[in-house]
Structures are given as structure tokens and as C-alpha cells.
């Protein structure tokens, strides 16, 4: 059955992604308004009523804004760890407390939603808790690694298992260094519990490319310290140094922050 992937929005203004089949789908994060979610899905002929679950990576506002509405008003189960759920409950950005929709998962303990087999894994970031998701559907394997302070052995394991990688490329190191952020924020972004730079993402991908890797999406690009063309260029050039040709050996797409992506299809 055909699989499709869509970025509704990504970055510090809000994050939300869709992965689904003609029969069902899931959202990963819910950091944009419910009207926007419904509008974008409708424009791409995706039936909102077929959303079976929401997976949350962590409790920062740009990932959880609409989770209460989805869970308690639309009765969609919300999956994440106990610590992230606790952070959502404390958050002043979530209006509806998750009660009936609350589903607790454990890291590296696979669970199933319809035909998706899903494994959450530890990701270093300065939130209450933070996970990535490894999602298997027949021969397709997706890894979502967002808000990654640095690539640990665990993050590496799940990225290297995937055919389709959604990886953070948050900032260009020179733009951050000479940009307008105050010193404390520059230090936070570049710290081991902050975000992944273009160079770090490029180095990882170049050193760990394998023949099974088909698609790379770069996401959570900073508005002030990055732009899609620069992120793509940095990764493209580093892959080329290893003899990996973008467009032939692998596809590479830098997702725009506030503009929904195309709908990507996989047979």
C-alpha cells in the first residue's frame, strides 16, 4: 500500500509532520494550529478523520501547541514518554489537559499503530525528555531525529537503520557565531543539548551513508542562522567529497520552515 510523507511546518515557529497510507495516518508533533493542520491535510486530499495517533518528541511549545486539542477534542491518542507527558501537563501553552487520550510509551520498546511498528529512542536536548522515532512499514524505515544536541551512539543506530531520514540541520556555524543572538542563546544552540549544525549533519551523513538510504530531509532550520539553500549546499558538498551524488545515489530536500512541503509518495 502506498505510503506518503508530508511536512506541514518545521522550525521554532512550529513543527508537525504526517506519515500515512490511504487508510490511516499519524502526526509527529503538533506545534501548529488545528485550523492549519486541517487546512494543509485537506489541500493534499488527506482525510483528517483517518489520523490514528499523534507522536510527540518533547515538550517545547513549538512541538505541542495543539496536542491538547487533538487529544481531548478530536479523541486522537497522544503517544510519548512519561516525562514528556508530565512536561505537557505543566506547559502553559497547552490548554486542554491530556486525560483519555494519554498514552505512555518507553524508549526502545516497540509498539504498533495499525501497520506501523514504532520505536522511540533517546535524543539529547534541553527539554523534560526528548525522543526520536523509528517507524517501520513493510520495507520502508523512517527515522525522525529532531532537536538533536549531538549524535549519540543511540541516535546513530536508528539513523543508520533507515531508508528515509528526517534529520535536523538547524544552523550554519558562521551565521550563528556572527549573528544577532545574545551570547547565552548562541551557547545554548551550539551546546550538546541544543541543536545540530549543518556541518555536523553533513559529517554524519557523509560518514554513515549506505546503499539502503534513499531520502534525506533536512528540517528544523533556523530562521536567523540558516536558510534552505545553504543547508542543502553544505550537505551536498560533503556527500560529494565521499563520492555520493545527490539526485542519483540519494535525494536531498531542505524543508522550509512555514511552508508545507510537497507530498512525498513511496510504493
Amino acid at each position: 500500500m502506498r505510503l506518503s510523507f508530508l511536512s506541514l511546518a518545521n522550525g521554532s515557529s512550529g513543527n508537525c509532520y504526517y506519515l500515512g497510507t490511504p487508510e490511516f495516518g499519524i502526526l509527529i508533533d503538533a506545534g501548529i494550529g488545528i485550523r492549519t493542520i486541517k487546512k494543509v491535510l485537506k489541500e493534499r486530499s488527506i482525510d483528517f478523520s483517518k489520523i490514528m495517533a499523534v507522536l510527540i518528541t518533547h515538550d517545547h511549545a513549538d512541538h505541542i501547541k495543539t496536542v491538547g486539542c487533538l487529544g481531548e477534542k478530536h479523541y486522537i491518542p497522544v503517544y510519548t514518554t512519561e516525562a514528556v507527558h508530565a512536561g505537557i501537563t505543566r506547559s502553559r501553552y497547552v490548554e486542554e489537559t491530556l486525560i483519555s487520550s494519554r498514552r505512555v510509551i518507553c524508549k526502545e520498546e516497540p509498539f504498533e499503530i495499525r501497520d506501523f511498528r514504532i520505536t522511540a529512542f533517546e535524543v539529547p536536548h534541553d527539554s523534560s525528555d526528548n525522543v526520536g522515532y523509528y517507524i517501520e512499514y513493510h520495507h520502508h524505515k523512517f527515522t525522525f531525529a529532531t532537536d538533536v544536541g549531538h549524535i549519540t551512539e543511540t541516535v546513530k543506530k536508528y539513523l543508520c537503520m533507515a531508508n528515509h531520514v528526517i534529520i535536523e540541520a538547524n544552523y550554519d556555524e558562521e551565521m550563528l557565531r556572527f549573528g544577532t543572538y545574545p551570547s547565552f542563546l548562541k551557547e545554548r544552540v551550539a551546546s550538546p543539548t541544543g541543536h545540530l549544525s549543518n556541518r555536523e549533519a553533513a559529517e554524519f551523513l557523509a560518514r554513515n551513508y549506505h546503499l539502503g538510504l534513499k531520502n534525506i530531509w533536512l528540517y528544523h532550520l533556523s530562521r536567523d542562522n540558516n536558510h534552505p539553500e545553504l543547508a542543502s549546499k553544505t550537505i551536498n558538498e560533503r556527500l560529494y567529497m565521499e563520492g555520493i551524488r545527490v539526485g542519483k545515489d540519494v535525494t536531498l530536500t531542505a524543508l522550509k520552515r512555514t511552508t508545507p512541503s510537497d507530498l512525498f509518495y513511496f510504493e
Side-chain angles (χ1 to χ4, degrees), residues 1 47 61 88 101 249:
M1 191 182 298
D47 188 346
I88 292 171
S101 61
D249 299 318

Side-chain angles (χ1 to χ4, degrees), residues 10-249:
N10 77 99
S12 57
S13 298
N15 295 269
C16 187
Y17 310 90
Y18 166 85
L19 186 67
T21 75
E23 290 189 353
F24 73 98
I26 62 173
L27 297 178
I28 297 94
D29 285 335
I32 58 176
I34 187 64
R35 291 181 182 177
T36 302
I37 291 173
K38 289 182 175 180
K39 178 177 180 289
V40 173
L41 294 180
K42 184 177 180 181
E43 288 173 348
R44 285 152 179 79
S45 300
I46 297 170
D47 188 346
F48 176 80
S49 69
K50 293 183 178 180
I51 300 296
M52 297 290 102
V54 183
L55 311 181
I56 298 298
T57 59
H58 64 291
D59 61 345
H60 285 169
D62 54 324
H63 295 259
I64 61 172
K65 176 182 177 181
T66 311
V67 70
C69 178
L70 290 168
E72 296 303 306
K73 291 187 175 180
H74 293 279
Y75 311 108
I76 301 173
V78 177
Y79 292 79
T80 192
T81 66
E82 184 73 63
V84 176
H85 271 303
I88 292 171
T89 300
R90 293 191 301 267
S91 177
R92 61 188 174 92
Y93 299 101
V94 178
E95 295 180 1
E96 298 86 1
T97 300
L98 298 178
I99 301 172
S100 62
S101 61
R102 191 176 187 269
R103 304 288 188 275
V104 176
I105 61 174
C106 296
K107 296 169 190 172
E108 300 199 71
E109 291 186 10
F111 62 100
E112 293 184 356
I113 297 172
R114 294 282 295 265
D115 296 327
F116 288 165
R117 188 173 190 265
I118 303 167
T119 306
F121 58 92
E122 175 78 27
V123 171
H125 190 53
D126 56 1
S127 52
S128 298
D129 194 14
N130 201 75
V131 297
Y133 288 102
Y134 175 68
I135 303 174
E136 301 169 86
Y137 176 74
H138 299 301
H139 61 280
H140 293 290
K141 299 174 177 63
F142 283 78
T143 296
F144 291 79
T146 180
D147 294 67
V148 181
H150 67 284
I151 295 179
T152 63
E153 285 302 311
T154 297
V155 174
K156 177 181 176 180
K157 179 178 79 169
Y158 286 99
L159 284 171
C160 289
M161 289 163 61
N163 311 119
H164 315 287
V165 163
I166 302 92
I167 187 171
E168 180 178 49
N170 180 258
Y171 65 97
D172 174 76
E173 292 172 352
E174 293 297 305
M175 289 183 69
L176 179 66
R177 184 176 298 118
F178 297 108
T180 58
Y181 277 13
S183 295
F184 78 90
L185 188 53
K186 290 180 180 180
E187 291 173 3
R188 182 242 168 190
V189 169
S191 77
T193 55
H195 293 277
L196 208 63
S197 71
N198 294 344
R199 180 190 60 80
E200 290 169 320
E203 192 66 27
F204 172 80
L205 292 166
R207 290 181 176 273
N208 294 280
Y209 169 80
H210 57 91
L211 294 177
L213 181 59
K214 303 301 180 186
N215 295 284
I216 301 166
W217 291 275
L218 310 176
Y219 70 131
H220 214 301
L221 276 66
S222 170
R223 178 187 63 189
D224 300 306
N225 301 303
N226 208 357
H227 54 80
E229 294 78 12
L230 178 57
S232 293
K233 182 174 183 287
T234 303
I235 277 75
N236 195 343
E237 289 180 349
R238 184 63 185 89
L239 291 174
Y240 187 78
M241 289 173 62
E242 300 295 328
I244 304 159
R245 293 160 293 181
V246 170
K248 184 172 183 180
D249 299 318

